[in-house]
Amino acid sequence: QVRLVESGGGLVQAGGSLRLSCKASGPGFLAYYMGWYRQAPGKQRELVALITVGGSTTYADSLAGRFTISIIDDKNTVYLDMNTLKPEDTGVYYCRANGKIERMPWEPVDYWGPGTQVTVSS
């Protein structure tokens, strides 16, 4: 069973920074890409950023320039550096890992973390 462990959320003032991290661990798991989504109260979950193990990135248009995603692919670990945070960045941030299990390489797998709360005060 693959498990995603997120850390780094918390309370920060507007204009501040946070770094989220997420590690996917489990026997034989190899990531194709990992990323972050967020869900604000009363809103749908939305993409924040994705990164492939090759380093290709995708960002939500509204966040490019303030958020940076990075990956240590041999450790199945993804980071999200969030700068110049705004109150509207408040929400639960979820990690996602997409890849394969070595013993079943024909079947793609997709996992989500439990989420970490980010609160930005004005």
Side-chain angles (χ1 to χ4, degrees):
Q1 180 69 21
V2 176
R3 184 168 171 241
L4 272 59
V5 178
E6 301 144 333
S7 62
L11 173 65
V12 64
Q13 287 188 331
S17 299
L18 282 175
R19 178 179 239 208
L20 305 183
S21 64
C22 171
K23 181 175 176 61
S25 58
F29 176 70
L30 298 174
Y32 292 142
Y33 64 85
M34 298 181 71
W36 293 93
Y37 291 70
R38 70 183 183 185
Q39 187 166 18
K43 294 188 177 181
Q44 290 187 330
R45 190 175 298 188
E46 62 177 1
L47 171 70
V48 174
L50 295 174
I51 186 167
T52 70
V53 294
S56 297
T57 57
T58 300
Y59 291 94
D61 289 342
S62 61
L63 301 176
R66 293 194 298 123
F67 289 15
T68 303
I69 191 169
S70 57
I71 192 169
I72 303 177
D73 58 278
D74 62 342
K75 296 184 182 299
N76 288 336
T77 301
V78 64
Y79 300 96
L80 183 69
D81 289 295
M82 306 185 292
N83 298 306
T84 320
L85 284 161
K86 304 175 181 180
E88 52 264 43
D89 293 318
T90 294
V92 179
Y93 284 67
Y94 296 92
C95 178
R96 177 186 180 191
N98 181 281
K100 66 179 180 181
I101 305 297
E102 283 181 309
R103 60 183 174 85
M104 297 189 296
W106 58 87
E107 185 173 324
V109 292
D110 200 79
Y111 299 99
W112 291 83
T116 184
Q117 177 70 44
V118 171
T119 303
V120 184
S121 63
S122 56

